[in-house]
Amino acid sequence: FTPDDFDQQMEEAIELMDMLGDAEIKYAINGLLSLTPDAMPCLGEIPEVRNLWAASAVWVKEGPGMAQVVAEWMTYGYPRVIDAHASDIARFYEQEKSDDHIWARAEEHFNKTYGIVHPSEQWENRRNLQVSPYFSRQEALGAEFFSARTWERPQWYTSNADLVERYGLSERETEWDNRWWSPITMGEHLNLRENAGMVDLSAFQVYELEGPGAVAYAEYLAVNKVDKPVGSSVYTPWLTPDGGFHSDLTMMRVAQDRVRIVTGVFDGGRDSFWIKKHMPETGVTFKDITLETTTLGVWGPNAPAIVGKLTDHDLSQEGSPYGSLRNVEIQTASGPINATLFLISYVGDTGWEIYTGWDNGPALWDALMEAGDEFGLRATGGGVYGTSGRLEKGYRLMGAELESEYSPVEAGLARPKVKAADFIGKEAYLKAREAGPIAKMCTFTVEDNIDSQGRKRFMQGGNEPICTTDGAQILDSHGRVSRVCTAGPGPSVGKHLLLGYLPAEMAVVGADFKVMYMNELFPIKVAAIEGS
């Protein structure tokens, strides 16, 4: 500690808060800053060494709370007091652990620590660590890339700028709300609803369990039933021992003794470690096939016509029912390629996730774009897939709506029956079902987004407080503050949409509340209660 360096700061602090002038400095340090590649702490069991725990990159003011988090984690298998997935040291991929990556990101992190950082602000360095097989085609279409851990994902395409005029869209009034956003995303959304959109899903993390014990182990991980006929799938939570969300993903029965797991890029590290940590010693093998597999999503009312031009497989409800996996041949300019059609939608319109070998990706992209030309198909970014499309559909996202503090009962994801097979967190889950939801996941519409200066404002990023109409904070019986989990546009409904939890007794369709954004209160209304 060097008093000369501190004197001016102390004088200025006293000018702001004169009571500091009476304070006596009894102990002082000049410490190093602990910075990480993604600006979050490193907590939890270290994947490389069983029972070696991290509690690092924690600043002094968070020290006691994070000590409790790690102590609970070690004792109960996962923290009880607060969700810690964003700080889980298992989240990092190998490319993020290199010295070059850590030093470069830490240098940039320093500026972000003391600067005003927009919720969507992107890292400037260490980009393009992992790109999809379509990267050159996306660059040619003017993709605006956002980073997702090591991966680059298009958020929108400047080649779709004509959609802004077609649908009468415009930029936002305030500079802050307009950062890291483009009205093109709304144009892509509306075009998908009217015609069709194609989304690059190559950042999916794809794993396989194989062996005589694979299905039984998959059942142990998942809340919902995995032991179904080959060619079936299930969308399912994985729970912590206390019954909260650890993961939210898709599991596919691809063979008699093989189960495929498809999870999001932000959760791949944690999910793969969870699999390995609980895996039996014999009967099951684990394989990461992410870089062997690429995925394109095609959705919209014209999706069946587009895909139908490339395969003779029956795409009707009988031939390709919801949740089914169908292995087909796709005709491309360079010849037929093998692919798997998975009928599922994260955006609310009909269509498929199409899986094929990584090297087949460019041929699949070109074939779909050519087939879709007459049907209005556009390359579509993550602004639709991850935000506006899923908000209109009411789909929840791991790390936003789904955290270890909430159960499937509260999130509206509990199914009518509980399977007979045991699974992690089953006892806690059964108790939650019996007790009923303490809180409920709701979709809200922003009824008036004009601020005190007469400008339209648009919430983004989440965590804005949800209040009663008189501005009072809302707490559920666990003391959890009601807050926005996700905020974004709903272009099809013409309103800004929010997802967030309310105490169960307050969750009523049509009920009025307010949300605080930029220190102002805006009226919102419950439009739907998810899962009801």
Side-chain angles (χ1 to χ4, degrees):
F1 178 72
T2 51
D4 291 346
D5 291 337
F6 184 69
D7 284 347
Q8 182 180 351
Q9 298 176 53
M10 187 63 182
E11 290 173 7
E12 293 173 352
I14 292 171
E15 288 180 16
L16 290 172
M17 296 177 288
D18 57 9
M19 75 286 291
L20 291 177
D22 299 325
E24 179 184 354
I25 300 176
K26 293 184 177 180
Y27 177 72
I29 60 170
N30 184 1
L32 296 173
L33 294 178
S34 187
L35 306 176
T36 65
D38 64 357
M40 293 298 291
C42 294
L43 310 177
E45 190 174 11
I46 296 172
E48 292 82 3
V49 184
R50 181 64 58 90
N51 288 328
L52 177 61
W53 291 76
S56 54
V58 176
W59 289 36
V60 172
K61 65 183 184 299
E62 287 96 18
M66 293 303 100
Q68 181 178 345
V69 165
V70 176
E72 290 182 345
W73 207 331
M74 298 170 74
T75 304
Y76 303 114
Y78 210 75
R80 286 181 164 178
V81 66
I82 192 172
D83 181 86
H85 81 276
S87 299
D88 190 338
I89 194 169
R91 69 190 182 273
F92 293 113
Y93 295 108
E94 286 304 314
Q95 290 168 302
E96 297 177 275
K97 300 177 185 179
S98 71
D99 286 351
D100 287 345
H101 186 79
I102 293 169
W103 279 107
R105 282 292 175 87
E107 183 176 0
E108 188 176 343
H109 177 180
F110 179 84
N111 295 324
K112 292 182 184 297
T113 300
Y114 292 106
I116 298 174
V117 181
H118 190 276
S120 299
E121 183 172 311
Q122 297 297 296
W123 294 94
E124 295 179 5
N125 62 52
R126 299 292 294 172
R127 298 296 295 269
N128 297 343
L129 296 178
Q130 182 62 63
V131 299
S132 79
Y134 323 110
F135 188 66
S136 62
R137 287 157 174 78
Q138 293 163 342
E139 285 187 310
L141 293 175
E144 181 69 32
F145 290 97
F146 278 22
S147 64
R149 304 230 66 90
T150 59
W151 288 74
E152 297 292 331
R153 298 190 302 186
Q155 188 74 354
W156 65 82
Y157 294 85
T158 57
S159 59
N160 291 328
D162 62 299
L163 298 176
V164 174
E165 183 177 356
R166 177 196 294 180
Y167 294 110
L169 306 170
S170 60
E171 294 191 342
R172 294 170 174 173
E173 293 180 40
T174 63
E175 187 274 337
W176 180 262
D177 293 349
N178 216 37
R179 286 190 196 181
W180 302 105
W181 180 84
S182 170
I184 293 173
T185 63
M186 298 179 70
E188 292 177 351
H189 176 110
L190 293 169
N191 180 73
L192 185 151
R193 291 280 187 258
E194 183 180 303
N195 298 299
M198 184 172 73
V199 181
D200 175 12
L201 302 174
S202 297
F204 277 168
Q205 302 298 291
V206 187
Y207 309 128
E208 287 192 344
L209 303 173
E210 188 168 12
V215 175
Y217 178 49
E219 285 279 21
Y220 179 65
L221 293 170
V223 173
N224 298 328
K225 189 174 179 62
V226 182
D227 190 2
K228 300 163 69 175
V230 174
S232 302
S233 71
V234 62
Y235 164 62
T236 182
W238 291 358
L239 302 183
T240 69
D242 284 335
F245 285 91
H246 180 278
S247 311
D248 176 67
L249 41 72
T250 302
M251 303 179 79
M252 306 170 175
R253 184 81 179 270
V254 294
Q256 199 64 34
D257 61 353
R258 184 156 42 97
V259 176
R260 182 171 295 176
I261 299 165
V262 181
T263 189
V265 63
F266 285 102
D267 301 302
R270 295 174 58 253
D271 289 343
S272 63
F273 177 52
W274 191 257
I275 295 168
K276 296 170 185 175
K277 179 179 174 65
H278 296 94
M279 196 158 64
E281 293 183 2
T282 61
V284 187
T285 60
F286 171 85
K287 185 179 182 182
D288 183 345
I289 63 168
T290 301
L291 295 182
E292 299 175 18
T293 310
T294 184
T295 313
L296 287 173
V298 181
W299 292 288
N302 293 339
I306 294 167
V307 176
K309 289 181 67 174
L310 303 177
T311 179
D312 57 7
H313 182 79
D314 179 7
L315 300 181
S316 69
Q317 177 62 29
E318 292 72 26
S320 183
Y322 189 81
S324 66
L325 304 170
R326 295 294 182 261
N327 296 322
V328 303
E329 276 194 350
I330 297 287
Q331 301 301 319
T332 75
S334 53
I337 61 172
N338 294 322
T340 299
L341 300 181
F342 177 33
L343 187 68
I344 194 170
S345 176
Y346 199 59
V347 296
D349 259 295
T350 188
W352 292 266
E353 291 174 3
I354 306 176
Y355 295 79
T356 191
W358 187 271
D359 293 340
N360 292 333
L364 177 63
W365 174 287
D366 293 343
L368 287 167
M369 288 295 282
E370 182 178 352
D373 185 57
E374 65 177 298
F375 296 105
L377 178 69
R378 297 290 185 104
T380 300
V384 177
Y385 180 78
T387 303
S388 64
R390 79 169 181 89
L391 277 173
E392 288 189 352
K393 185 176 173 64
Y395 253 28
R396 286 63 118 195
L397 175 67
M398 186 64 211
E401 292 73 41
L402 308 180
E403 296 184 328
S404 62
E405 298 173 45
Y406 293 97
S407 75
V409 176
E410 295 170 308
L413 293 175
R415 296 195 173 183
K417 295 182 179 180
V418 179
K419 69 186 185 184
D422 190 24
F423 56 88
I424 298 171
K426 183 176 183 178
E427 182 179 350
Y429 178 54
L430 290 172
K431 288 181 180 179
R433 288 172 61 93
E434 183 178 353
I438 294 169
K440 291 185 177 182
M441 170 55 55
C442 301
T443 296
F444 302 85
T445 53
V446 179
E447 297 300 295
D448 184 355
N449 62 344
I450 305 298
D451 70 9
S452 59
Q453 299 181 51
R455 305 169 303 179
K456 286 185 177 181
R457 302 309 305 267
F458 298 89
M459 279 148 273
Q460 51 202 314
N463 286 323
E464 297 86 358
I466 298 173
C467 309
T468 60
T469 53
D470 61 3
Q473 281 280 312
I474 299 171
L475 303 178
D476 68 20
S477 59
H478 280 178
R480 295 177 298 202
V481 177
S482 185
R483 60 181 176 83
V484 175
C485 298
T486 302
S492 304
V493 297
K495 289 194 175 184
H496 211 64
L497 301 178
L498 314 175
L499 287 178
Y501 288 92
L502 284 176
E505 67 276 10
M506 302 178 76
V508 179
V509 172
D512 293 314
F513 296 90
K514 289 188 176 181
V515 63
M516 182 178 287
Y517 180 64
M518 296 295 183
N519 209 36
E520 294 195 33
L521 291 170
F522 297 87
I524 61 174
K525 188 182 292 290
V526 178
I529 301 171
E530 302 306 331
S532 298

